[in-house]
PDB file of all heavy atoms in Angstrom:
ATOM      1  N   SER P 248     146.608  95.761  67.579  1.00 69.00           N
ATOM      2  CA  SER P 248     145.755  96.680  68.446  1.00 69.00           C
ATOM      3  C   SER P 248     145.163  97.742  67.541  1.00 69.00           C
ATOM      4  O   SER P 248     143.920  98.086  67.771  1.00 69.00           O
ATOM      5  CB  SER P 248     146.731  97.341  69.483  1.00 69.00           C
ATOM      6  OG  SER P 248     146.052  98.291  70.178  1.00 69.00           O
ATOM      7  N   PHE P 249     145.939  98.294  66.574  1.00 63.00           N
ATOM      8  CA  PHE P 249     145.367  99.311  65.718  1.00 63.00           C
ATOM      9  C   PHE P 249     144.213  98.818  64.909  1.00 63.00           C
ATOM     10  O   PHE P 249     143.211  99.457  64.706  1.00 63.00           O
ATOM     11  CB  PHE P 249     146.469  99.912  64.844  1.00 63.00           C
ATOM     12  CG  PHE P 249     146.084 101.002  63.912  1.00 63.00           C
ATOM     13  CD1 PHE P 249     145.738 102.328  64.449  1.00 63.00           C
ATOM     14  CD2 PHE P 249     145.835 100.754  62.605  1.00 63.00           C
ATOM     15  CE1 PHE P 249     145.398 103.261  63.560  1.00 63.00           C
ATOM     16  CE2 PHE P 249     145.393 101.743  61.728  1.00 63.00           C
ATOM     17  CZ  PHE P 249     145.130 103.075  62.228  1.00 63.00           C
ATOM     18  N   THR P 250     144.524  97.586  64.350  1.00 58.00           N
ATOM     19  CA  THR P 250     143.453  97.018  63.442  1.00 58.00           C
ATOM     20  C   THR P 250     142.145  96.744  64.272  1.00 58.00           C
ATOM     21  O   THR P 250     141.036  96.975  63.759  1.00 58.00           O
ATOM     22  CB  THR P 250     144.001  95.621  62.926  1.00 58.00           C
ATOM     23  OG1 THR P 250     145.211  95.881  62.143  1.00 58.00           O
ATOM     24  CG2 THR P 250     142.933  94.972  61.992  1.00 58.00           C
ATOM     25  N   PHE P 251     142.377  96.259  65.483  1.00 48.00           N
ATOM     26  CA  PHE P 251     141.129  95.916  66.398  1.00 48.00           C
ATOM     27  C   PHE P 251     140.374  97.247  66.585  1.00 48.00           C
ATOM     28  O   PHE P 251     139.160  97.275  66.535  1.00 48.00           O
ATOM     29  CB  PHE P 251     141.652  95.345  67.703  1.00 48.00           C
ATOM     30  CG  PHE P 251     140.491  95.225  68.635  1.00 48.00           C
ATOM     31  CD1 PHE P 251     139.520  94.227  68.563  1.00 48.00           C
ATOM     32  CD2 PHE P 251     140.381  96.038  69.759  1.00 48.00           C
ATOM     33  CE1 PHE P 251     138.502  94.139  69.475  1.00 48.00           C
ATOM     34  CE2 PHE P 251     139.310  96.029  70.630  1.00 48.00           C
ATOM     35  CZ  PHE P 251     138.415  94.925  70.420  1.00 48.00           C
ATOM     36  N   THR P 252     141.177  98.387  66.894  1.00 57.00           N
ATOM     37  CA  THR P 252     140.575  99.679  67.174  1.00 57.00           C
ATOM     38  C   THR P 252     139.798 100.218  65.923  1.00 57.00           C
ATOM     39  O   THR P 252     138.645 100.652  66.080  1.00 57.00           O
ATOM     40  CB  THR P 252     141.659 100.696  67.541  1.00 57.00           C
ATOM     41  OG1 THR P 252     142.322 100.221  68.730  1.00 57.00           O
ATOM     42  CG2 THR P 252     140.993 102.014  67.805  1.00 57.00           C
ATOM     43  N   VAL P 253     140.386  99.969  64.735  1.00 56.00           N
ATOM     44  CA  VAL P 253     139.752 100.356  63.485  1.00 56.00           C
ATOM     45  C   VAL P 253     138.458  99.594  63.290  1.00 56.00           C
ATOM     46  O   VAL P 253     137.374 100.158  62.939  1.00 56.00           O
ATOM     47  CB  VAL P 253     140.706 100.220  62.241  1.00 56.00           C
ATOM     48  CG1 VAL P 253     139.821 100.440  61.035  1.00 56.00           C
ATOM     49  CG2 VAL P 253     141.760 101.182  62.386  1.00 56.00           C
ATOM     50  N   ILE P 254     138.480  98.227  63.510  1.00 56.00           N
ATOM     51  CA  ILE P 254     137.297  97.394  63.294  1.00 56.00           C
ATOM     52  C   ILE P 254     136.268  97.783  64.372  1.00 56.00           C
ATOM     53  O   ILE P 254     135.005  97.930  64.013  1.00 56.00           O
ATOM     54  CB  ILE P 254     137.754  95.902  63.456  1.00 56.00           C
ATOM     55  CG1 ILE P 254     138.597  95.528  62.259  1.00 56.00           C
ATOM     56  CG2 ILE P 254     136.430  95.082  63.533  1.00 56.00           C
ATOM     57  CD1 ILE P 254     139.165  94.042  62.435  1.00 56.00           C
ATOM     58  N   LEU P 255     136.679  98.038  65.608  1.00 54.00           N
ATOM     59  CA  LEU P 255     135.679  98.369  66.619  1.00 54.00           C
ATOM     60  C   LEU P 255     134.959  99.694  66.265  1.00 54.00           C
ATOM     61  O   LEU P 255     133.824  99.893  66.479  1.00 54.00           O
ATOM     62  CB  LEU P 255     136.411  98.367  67.945  1.00 54.00           C
ATOM     63  CG  LEU P 255     135.531  98.701  69.244  1.00 54.00           C
ATOM     64  CD1 LEU P 255     134.365  97.668  69.412  1.00 54.00           C
ATOM     65  CD2 LEU P 255     136.370  98.811  70.481  1.00 54.00           C
ATOM     66  N   SER P 256     135.804 100.609  65.849  1.00 62.00           N
ATOM     67  CA  SER P 256     135.265 101.970  65.523  1.00 62.00           C
ATOM     68  C   SER P 256     134.262 101.761  64.368  1.00 62.00           C
ATOM     69  O   SER P 256     133.200 102.464  64.371  1.00 62.00           O
ATOM     70  CB  SER P 256     136.409 102.907  65.137  1.00 62.00           C
ATOM     71  OG  SER P 256     137.299 103.139  66.270  1.00 62.00           O
ATOM     72  N   SER P 257     134.605 100.910  63.425  1.00 61.00           N
ATOM     73  CA  SER P 257     133.728 100.790  62.269  1.00 61.00           C
ATOM     74  C   SER P 257     132.395 100.188  62.729  1.00 61.00           C
ATOM     75  O   SER P 257     131.255 100.590  62.253  1.00 61.00           O
ATOM     76  CB  SER P 257     134.334  99.839  61.216  1.00 61.00           C
ATOM     77  OG  SER P 257     135.539 100.425  60.739  1.00 61.00           O
ATOM     78  N   ILE P 258     132.487  99.157  63.678  1.00 63.00           N
ATOM     79  CA  ILE P 258     131.274  98.545  64.123  1.00 63.00           C
ATOM     80  C   ILE P 258     130.433  99.587  64.915  1.00 63.00           C
ATOM     81  O   ILE P 258     129.139  99.592  64.747  1.00 63.00           O
ATOM     82  CB  ILE P 258     131.591  97.380  65.030  1.00 63.00           C
ATOM     83  CG1 ILE P 258     132.274  96.206  64.184  1.00 63.00           C
ATOM     84  CG2 ILE P 258     130.328  96.803  65.798  1.00 63.00           C
ATOM     85  CD1 ILE P 258     132.790  95.108  64.993  1.00 63.00           C
ATOM     86  N   ILE P 259     131.081 100.256  65.845  1.00 64.00           N
ATOM     87  CA  ILE P 259     130.395 101.357  66.472  1.00 64.00           C
ATOM     88  C   ILE P 259     129.694 102.334  65.649  1.00 64.00           C
ATOM     89  O   ILE P 259     128.501 102.753  65.792  1.00 64.00           O
ATOM     90  CB  ILE P 259     131.289 102.017  67.486  1.00 64.00           C
ATOM     91  CG1 ILE P 259     131.720 100.994  68.660  1.00 64.00           C
ATOM     92  CG2 ILE P 259     130.544 103.237  68.183  1.00 64.00           C
ATOM     93  CD1 ILE P 259     132.797 101.584  69.611  1.00 64.00           C
ATOM     94  N   SER P 260     130.466 102.820  64.628  1.00 67.00           N
ATOM     95  CA  SER P 260     129.923 103.759  63.648  1.00 67.00           C
ATOM     96  C   SER P 260     128.703 103.129  62.879  1.00 67.00           C
ATOM     97  O   SER P 260     127.733 103.827  62.732  1.00 67.00           O
ATOM     98  CB  SER P 260     131.017 104.097  62.587  1.00 67.00           C
ATOM     99  OG  SER P 260     132.107 104.781  63.276  1.00 67.00           O
ATOM    100  N   LEU P 261     128.828 101.862  62.587  1.00 69.00           N
ATOM    101  CA  LEU P 261     127.753 101.212  61.879  1.00 69.00           C
ATOM    102  C   LEU P 261     126.484 101.139  62.743  1.00 69.00           C
ATOM    103  O   LEU P 261     125.345 101.441  62.301  1.00 69.00           O
ATOM    104  CB  LEU P 261     128.121  99.763  61.530  1.00 69.00           C
ATOM    105  CG  LEU P 261     127.070  98.993  60.743  1.00 69.00           C
ATOM    106  CD1 LEU P 261     126.798  99.654  59.382  1.00 69.00           C
ATOM    107  CD2 LEU P 261     127.629  97.519  60.368  1.00 69.00           C
ATOM    108  N   ILE P 262     126.674 100.855  64.098  1.00 69.00           N
ATOM    109  CA  ILE P 262     125.582 100.636  64.951  1.00 69.00           C
ATOM    110  C   ILE P 262     124.992 102.053  65.231  1.00 69.00           C
ATOM    111  O   ILE P 262     123.649 102.185  65.136  1.00 69.00           O
ATOM    112  CB  ILE P 262     126.074 100.063  66.343  1.00 69.00           C
ATOM    113  CG1 ILE P 262     126.497  98.668  66.125  1.00 69.00           C
ATOM    114  CG2 ILE P 262     124.919 100.251  67.381  1.00 69.00           C
ATOM    115  CD1 ILE P 262     127.050  98.027  67.417  1.00 69.00           C
ATOM    116  N   VAL P 263     125.758 103.108  65.402  1.00 66.00           N
ATOM    117  CA  VAL P 263     125.367 104.415  65.773  1.00 66.00           C
ATOM    118  C   VAL P 263     124.534 104.900  64.441  1.00 66.00           C
ATOM    119  O   VAL P 263     123.406 105.497  64.517  1.00 66.00           O
ATOM    120  CB  VAL P 263     126.442 105.390  65.847  1.00 66.00           C
ATOM    121  CG1 VAL P 263     125.993 106.894  65.954  1.00 66.00           C
ATOM    122  CG2 VAL P 263     127.107 105.045  67.283  1.00 66.00           C
ATOM    123  N   GLY P 264     125.139 104.640  63.218  1.00 63.00           N
ATOM    124  CA  GLY P 264     124.510 105.005  61.976  1.00 63.00           C
ATOM    125  C   GLY P 264     123.185 104.378  61.778  1.00 63.00           C
ATOM    126  O   GLY P 264     122.183 105.034  61.436  1.00 63.00           O
ATOM    127  N   ALA P 265     123.109 103.063  62.082  1.00 63.00           N
ATOM    128  CA  ALA P 265     121.837 102.321  61.932  1.00 63.00           C
ATOM    129  C   ALA P 265     120.831 102.844  62.999  1.00 63.00           C
ATOM    130  O   ALA P 265     119.564 102.974  62.662  1.00 63.00           O
ATOM    131  CB  ALA P 265     122.070 100.782  62.191  1.00 63.00           C
ATOM    132  N   SER P 266     121.293 103.208  64.132  1.00 64.00           N
ATOM    133  CA  SER P 266     120.304 103.740  65.157  1.00 64.00           C
ATOM    134  C   SER P 266     119.843 105.104  64.689  1.00 64.00           C
ATOM    135  O   SER P 266     118.561 105.390  64.917  1.00 64.00           O
ATOM    136  CB  SER P 266     121.085 103.934  66.597  1.00 64.00           C
ATOM    137  OG  SER P 266     121.543 102.621  66.990  1.00 64.00           O
ATOM    138  N   VAL P 267     120.720 105.922  64.151  1.00 65.00           N
ATOM    139  CA  VAL P 267     120.207 107.226  63.729  1.00 65.00           C
ATOM    140  C   VAL P 267     119.124 107.120  62.560  1.00 65.00           C
ATOM    141  O   VAL P 267     118.173 107.704  62.544  1.00 65.00           O
ATOM    142  CB  VAL P 267     121.394 108.136  63.217  1.00 65.00           C
ATOM    143  CG1 VAL P 267     120.878 109.291  62.399  1.00 65.00           C
ATOM    144  CG2 VAL P 267     122.368 108.553  64.278  1.00 65.00           C
ATOM    145  N   VAL P 268     119.502 106.155  61.616  1.00 63.00           N
ATOM    146  CA  VAL P 268     118.608 105.887  60.555  1.00 63.00           C
ATOM    147  C   VAL P 268     117.224 105.402  61.173  1.00 63.00           C
ATOM    148  O   VAL P 268     116.144 105.789  60.623  1.00 63.00           O
ATOM    149  CB  VAL P 268     119.121 104.880  59.547  1.00 63.00           C
ATOM    150  CG1 VAL P 268     118.027 104.491  58.542  1.00 63.00           C
ATOM    151  CG2 VAL P 268     120.356 105.388  58.852  1.00 63.00           C
ATOM    152  N   PHE P 269     117.307 104.546  62.132  1.00 62.00           N
ATOM    153  CA  PHE P 269     116.054 103.905  62.655  1.00 62.00           C
ATOM    154  C   PHE P 269     115.168 105.112  63.395  1.00 62.00           C
ATOM    155  O   PHE P 269     114.085 105.128  63.134  1.00 62.00           O
ATOM    156  CB  PHE P 269     116.439 102.878  63.781  1.00 62.00           C
ATOM    157  CG  PHE P 269     115.164 102.357  64.510  1.00 62.00           C
ATOM    158  CD1 PHE P 269     114.395 101.423  63.896  1.00 62.00           C
ATOM    159  CD2 PHE P 269     114.921 102.793  65.799  1.00 62.00           C
ATOM    160  CE1 PHE P 269     113.276 100.920  64.570  1.00 62.00           C
ATOM    161  CE2 PHE P 269     113.822 102.293  66.479  1.00 62.00           C
ATOM    162  CZ  PHE P 269     113.036 101.336  65.847  1.00 62.00           C
ATOM    163  N   VAL P 270     115.979 105.923  64.130  1.00 66.00           N
ATOM    164  CA  VAL P 270     115.256 107.057  64.779  1.00 66.00           C
ATOM    165  C   VAL P 270     114.597 107.988  63.709  1.00 66.00           C
ATOM    166  O   VAL P 270     113.411 108.475  63.789  1.00 66.00           O
ATOM    167  CB  VAL P 270     116.218 107.878  65.688  1.00 66.00           C
ATOM    168  CG1 VAL P 270     115.563 109.149  66.129  1.00 66.00           C
ATOM    169  CG2 VAL P 270     116.598 106.974  66.884  1.00 66.00           C
ATOM    170  N   LEU P 271     115.306 108.341  62.610  1.00 65.00           N
ATOM    171  CA  LEU P 271     114.865 109.193  61.647  1.00 65.00           C
ATOM    172  C   LEU P 271     113.650 108.523  60.916  1.00 65.00           C
ATOM    173  O   LEU P 271     112.681 109.183  60.735  1.00 65.00           O
ATOM    174  CB  LEU P 271     115.986 109.451  60.631  1.00 65.00           C
ATOM    175  CG  LEU P 271     117.062 110.393  61.042  1.00 65.00           C
ATOM    176  CD1 LEU P 271     118.121 110.489  59.987  1.00 65.00           C
ATOM    177  CD2 LEU P 271     116.559 111.770  61.396  1.00 65.00           C
ATOM    178  N   MET P 272     113.822 107.288  60.584  1.00 71.00           N
ATOM    179  CA  MET P 272     112.654 106.628  59.950  1.00 71.00           C
ATOM    180  C   MET P 272     111.436 106.412  60.802  1.00 71.00           C
ATOM    181  O   MET P 272     110.294 106.620  60.366  1.00 71.00           O
ATOM    182  CB  MET P 272     113.167 105.155  59.459  1.00 71.00           C
ATOM    183  CG  MET P 272     114.127 105.166  58.398  1.00 71.00           C
ATOM    184  SD  MET P 272     113.631 106.082  56.888  1.00 71.00           S
ATOM    185  CE  MET P 272     112.343 105.158  56.336  1.00 71.00           C
ATOM    186  N   SER P 273     111.595 106.341  62.081  1.00 71.00           N
ATOM    187  CA  SER P 273     110.584 106.200  63.055  1.00 71.00           C
ATOM    188  C   SER P 273     109.860 107.482  63.038  1.00 71.00           C
ATOM    189  O   SER P 273     108.541 107.592  63.098  1.00 71.00           O
ATOM    190  CB  SER P 273     111.003 105.861  64.450  1.00 71.00           C
ATOM    191  OG  SER P 273     111.647 104.587  64.462  1.00 71.00           O
ATOM    192  N   GLY P 274     110.648 108.635  63.067  1.00 66.00           N
ATOM    193  CA  GLY P 274     110.035 110.002  63.056  1.00 66.00           C
ATOM    194  C   GLY P 274     109.256 110.314  61.796  1.00 66.00           C
ATOM    195  O   GLY P 274     108.208 110.784  61.917  1.00 66.00           O
ATOM    196  N   ILE P 275     109.863 109.773  60.697  1.00 69.00           N
ATOM    197  CA  ILE P 275     109.197 110.010  59.419  1.00 69.00           C
ATOM    198  C   ILE P 275     107.966 109.241  59.385  1.00 69.00           C
ATOM    199  O   ILE P 275     106.895 109.656  58.840  1.00 69.00           O
ATOM    200  CB  ILE P 275     110.132 109.649  58.342  1.00 69.00           C
ATOM    201  CG1 ILE P 275     111.280 110.626  58.163  1.00 69.00           C
ATOM    202  CG2 ILE P 275     109.313 109.580  56.944  1.00 69.00           C
ATOM    203  CD1 ILE P 275     112.374 110.173  57.179  1.00 69.00           C
ATOM    204  N   ARG P 276     108.006 108.058  59.893  1.00 73.00           N
ATOM    205  CA  ARG P 276     106.714 107.105  59.894  1.00 73.00           C
ATOM    206  C   ARG P 276     105.696 107.678  60.728  1.00 73.00           C
ATOM    207  O   ARG P 276     104.522 107.714  60.315  1.00 73.00           O
ATOM    208  CB  ARG P 276     107.140 105.724  60.316  1.00 73.00           C
ATOM    209  CG  ARG P 276     106.022 104.759  60.289  1.00 73.00           C
ATOM    210  CD  ARG P 276     106.393 103.251  60.507  1.00 73.00           C
ATOM    211  NE  ARG P 276     107.158 103.183  61.711  1.00 73.00           N
ATOM    212  CZ  ARG P 276     108.488 102.972  61.781  1.00 73.00           C
ATOM    213  NH1 ARG P 276     109.278 102.845  60.710  1.00 73.00           N
ATOM    214  NH2 ARG P 276     109.036 102.677  62.945  1.00 73.00           N
ATOM    215  N   ARG P 277     106.002 108.250  61.917  1.00 73.00           N
ATOM    216  CA  ARG P 277     105.142 108.882  62.761  1.00 73.00           C
ATOM    217  C   ARG P 277     104.447 110.115  62.097  1.00 73.00           C
ATOM    218  O   ARG P 277     103.259 110.389  62.255  1.00 73.00           O
ATOM    219  CB  ARG P 277     105.681 109.243  64.088  1.00 73.00           C
ATOM    220  CG  ARG P 277     105.972 108.099  65.058  1.00 73.00           C
ATOM    221  CD  ARG P 277     106.214 108.597  66.470  1.00 73.00           C
ATOM    222  NE  ARG P 277     107.484 109.457  66.517  1.00 73.00           N
ATOM    223  CZ  ARG P 277     108.660 108.965  66.667  1.00 73.00           C
ATOM    224  NH1 ARG P 277     108.942 107.610  66.784  1.00 73.00           N
ATOM    225  NH2 ARG P 277     109.673 109.825  66.650  1.00 73.00           N
ATOM    226  N   LYS P 278     105.324 110.897  61.477  1.00 69.00           N
ATOM    227  CA  LYS P 278     104.875 112.100  60.708  1.00 69.00           C
ATOM    228  C   LYS P 278     103.918 111.673  59.664  1.00 69.00           C
ATOM    229  O   LYS P 278     102.857 112.333  59.381  1.00 69.00           O
ATOM    230  CB  LYS P 278     105.989 112.792  60.105  1.00 69.00           C
ATOM    231  CG  LYS P 278     105.684 114.129  59.526  1.00 69.00           C
ATOM    232  CD  LYS P 278     105.210 115.110  60.719  1.00 69.00           C
ATOM    233  CE  LYS P 278     104.920 116.524  60.126  1.00 69.00           C
ATOM    234  NZ  LYS P 278     104.383 117.400  61.172  1.00 69.00           N
ATOM    235  N   LEU P 279     104.247 110.711  58.881  1.00 65.00           N
ATOM    236  CA  LEU P 279     103.353 110.177  57.830  1.00 65.00           C
ATOM    237  C   LEU P 279     102.039 109.668  58.304  1.00 65.00           C
ATOM    238  O   LEU P 279     100.892 109.927  57.726  1.00 65.00           O
ATOM    239  CB  LEU P 279     104.027 109.117  57.019  1.00 65.00           C
ATOM    240  CG  LEU P 279     105.211 109.471  56.158  1.00 65.00           C
ATOM    241  CD1 LEU P 279     105.808 108.242  55.465  1.00 65.00           C
ATOM    242  CD2 LEU P 279     104.734 110.518  55.041  1.00 65.00           C
ATOM    243  N   GLU P 280     102.054 108.985  59.455  1.00 70.00           N
ATOM    244  CA  GLU P 280     100.814 108.530  60.114  1.00 70.00           C
ATOM    245  C   GLU P 280     100.009 109.677  60.573  1.00 70.00           C
ATOM    246  O   GLU P 280      98.782 109.602  60.481  1.00 70.00           O
ATOM    247  CB  GLU P 280     101.184 107.569  61.320  1.00 70.00           C
ATOM    248  CG  GLU P 280     101.837 106.275  60.819  1.00 70.00           C
ATOM    249  CD  GLU P 280     102.233 105.446  62.087  1.00 70.00           C
ATOM    250  OE1 GLU P 280     102.251 106.044  63.185  1.00 70.00           O
ATOM    251  OE2 GLU P 280     102.581 104.278  61.877  1.00 70.00           O
TER     252      GLU P 280
END
């Protein structure tokens, strides 16, 4: 159960991190445009 929780938390963190990066990159791209 603990291992599953750690893996799930890691996946969620990865998804959230990727989403943040995507949002930031989209903002930067719009700014550059």
Side-chain angles (χ1 to χ4, degrees):
S248 176
F249 180 78
T250 302
F251 174 77
T252 301
V253 170
I254 293 175
L255 182 61
S256 297
S257 299
I258 292 174
I259 292 175
S260 297
L261 182 62
I262 292 174
V263 171
S266 299
V267 170
V268 171
F269 177 78
V270 171
L271 290 175
M272 291 304 296
S273 297
I275 293 172
R276 185 166 55 251
R277 286 195 299 271
K278 189 64 176 178
L279 290 175
E280 290 175 351

